[in-house]
Amino acid sequence: MPDSSQPLPRIGDHTLPNRVILAPMAGVTDRPFRQLCRQLGAGLVVGEMVTSDPSLWHTRKSRLRMDHRGEPGPRSVQIAGGDAAMLASAARINADQGAEIIDINMGCPAKKVCNKAAGSALLRDEALVADILTAVVAAVDVPVTLKIRTGWCADSNNALRVARLAEEAGIQALAVHGRHRQQRYSGHAEYDTIAAIKAAVTIPVFANGDIASPEKAAAVLDYTGADAVMIGRGAQGYPWIFRETDHYLRHGEHLAPPDAIERADVLRNHLEALHDFYGDYMGVRIARKHVGWYLAGDARIAEAPRRELKGRFNRLASPAEQYRFIDDLFGHARSSTTASDEPGETAKGIRAA
């Protein structure tokens, strides 16, 4: 287990309440999901990647990604691009609009991002990396953080050099995904590079990649010496991972998983937040992927019923229909739980929905 006597990580003047962070994910970490994960124990949440090109900020997608209204601090906004001056300007504008932490994306493996010499493609040009970091840090008064991968490919593992450049430029914290860009999300994350970086720099280091359980989080922190874990895909469909991981890291014991009533409440509230944030038309469609993840993350539901439930939900076209689906789904679960304390009854109730 991590040493509980070690101070919690700090980003500038912000001391995080725990060692469990929501990773930025395009198309996932919108305001409703960030708020949910924070409520369920995330010590820091990072917004979706926002382009540094202001000519694209008029789009609805960009406007929504830059919407942090009502969120508690510290509000962390991630920017992406390949031009130092443009990134510096974007950082300044976001800080003026209320961002309390600016995060620079040098980790995204998506082809459409890398083709624009942004995201993890920047790792191929260390001189440009240094220029960008220096320009962004100088442009704002708020702390600047950086997210990277281990390198562009297996033959160019240069994350340690980039980490040193980051510290020299004044970056306040560094998140490292334990894969190179060409892996995307295939194979397994490696943590040797993260451990080497932690040993070489004094700024906080956050370990990212394949962390989907409290035990894995503890093991990665032990192995790397990192200051915190950053969880991405492990939170899709199971935002409770944050409070469960925090509890395990503090106490060395497992927190009980959410019961059916809490699952129903959280999922319904999440859908309501999506409908409110995006409007009924887009909210209904965006809800489909989240409900698919929730169903996939519920071990009580067998594979065949899960596919049937997901298909049924994806055919629903209105918020009211989606709410009825959730109420029916977990209404059966509550009835079964009330009727019997036998293991498996809750799952049986869900499958009957």
Side-chain angles (χ1 to χ4, degrees):
M1 295 295 296
D3 185 354
S4 59
S5 68
Q6 291 297 313
L8 289 167
R10 289 176 59 86
I11 301 176
D13 293 332
H14 307 292
T15 299
L16 303 190
N18 60 39
R19 302 182 189 278
V20 194
I21 300 168
L22 171 65
M25 294 178 283
V28 181
T29 55
D30 53 19
R31 193 179 76 190
F33 193 66
R34 292 195 302 271
Q35 292 177 321
L36 174 60
C37 291
R38 192 187 291 272
Q39 291 165 9
L40 290 175
L44 177 70
V45 299
V46 185
E48 299 177 85
M49 176 177 63
V50 176
T51 177
S52 61
D53 185 350
S55 69
L56 300 176
W57 289 355
H58 69 281
T59 66
R60 186 170 187 268
K61 179 186 289 186
S62 290
R63 289 198 305 271
L64 289 173
R65 287 187 174 187
M66 297 172 73
D67 187 341
H68 291 257
R69 287 174 297 172
E71 290 190 71
R75 293 182 295 279
S76 179
V77 174
Q78 187 183 73
I79 57 175
D83 180 88
M86 192 175 286
L87 280 160
S89 177
R92 191 179 304 111
I93 292 169
N94 277 282
D96 289 344
Q97 292 180 346
E100 295 167 283
I101 299 171
I102 297 294
D103 185 60
I104 303 173
N105 183 310
M106 294 189 185
C108 180
K111 181 181 291 187
K112 66 180 180 180
V113 175
C114 290
N115 283 348
K116 296 180 180 178
S120 54
L122 292 168
L123 299 176
R124 294 180 293 183
D125 188 340
E126 292 177 22
L128 178 57
V129 167
D131 288 344
I132 287 172
L133 300 182
T134 300
V136 174
V137 169
V140 293
D141 294 327
V142 301
V144 180
T145 60
L146 173 65
K147 190 169 192 292
I148 64 173
R149 286 189 165 228
T150 58
W152 175 256
C153 64
D155 296 327
S156 63
N157 186 326
N158 63 339
L160 181 55
R161 293 196 300 275
V162 171
R164 290 188 172 121
L165 290 173
E167 185 170 42
E168 291 170 4
I171 292 298
Q172 298 288 297
L174 176 67
V176 186
H177 185 116
R179 287 181 174 86
H180 55 75
R181 186 268 168 179
Q182 290 188 354
Q183 284 180 278
R184 298 181 183 246
Y185 296 100
S186 65
H188 300 284
E190 58 93 356
Y191 306 108
D192 290 332
T193 300
I194 300 175
I197 289 171
K198 177 57 187 173
V201 300
T202 60
I203 60 176
V205 174
F206 307 145
N208 177 227
D210 294 350
I211 300 170
S213 71
E215 297 93 338
K216 185 63 175 287
V220 169
L221 289 177
D222 281 339
Y223 187 79
T224 63
D227 300 273
V229 291
M230 180 172 274
I231 298 175
R233 290 174 294 163
Q236 293 176 0
Y238 200 79
W240 298 274
I241 191 172
F242 295 103
R243 76 177 186 196
E244 291 179 12
T245 299
D246 178 40
H247 184 87
Y248 187 81
L249 294 177
R250 291 179 187 273
H251 306 291
E253 62 183 20
H254 289 284
L255 198 64
D259 61 19
I261 294 175
E262 183 182 2
R263 285 175 182 264
D265 289 341
V266 166
L267 184 46
R268 200 179 201 282
N269 289 340
H270 190 184
L271 294 189
E272 289 176 353
L274 289 171
H275 299 146
D276 180 65
F277 186 65
Y278 290 103
D280 288 355
Y281 181 81
M282 285 302 300
V284 162
R285 281 147 185 79
I286 291 170
R288 291 168 181 166
K289 64 183 175 185
H290 285 281
V291 169
W293 290 329
Y294 277 105
L295 293 172
D298 193 334
R300 302 169 302 170
I301 310 177
E303 180 61 29
R306 182 182 299 129
R307 289 196 302 269
E308 191 276 330
L309 288 167
K310 183 177 178 181
R312 190 194 311 174
F313 187 83
N314 287 347
R315 291 190 293 272
L316 303 179
S318 72
E321 291 174 312
Q322 291 187 336
Y323 297 145
R324 281 196 296 272
F325 177 96
I326 300 304
D327 291 343
D328 289 347
L329 180 68
F330 288 98
H332 284 286
R334 287 195 294 273
S335 297
S336 298
T337 303
T338 302
S340 173
D341 293 327
E342 290 297 317
E345 285 299 303
T346 299
K348 180 179 179 182
I350 290 176
R351 286 196 295 269

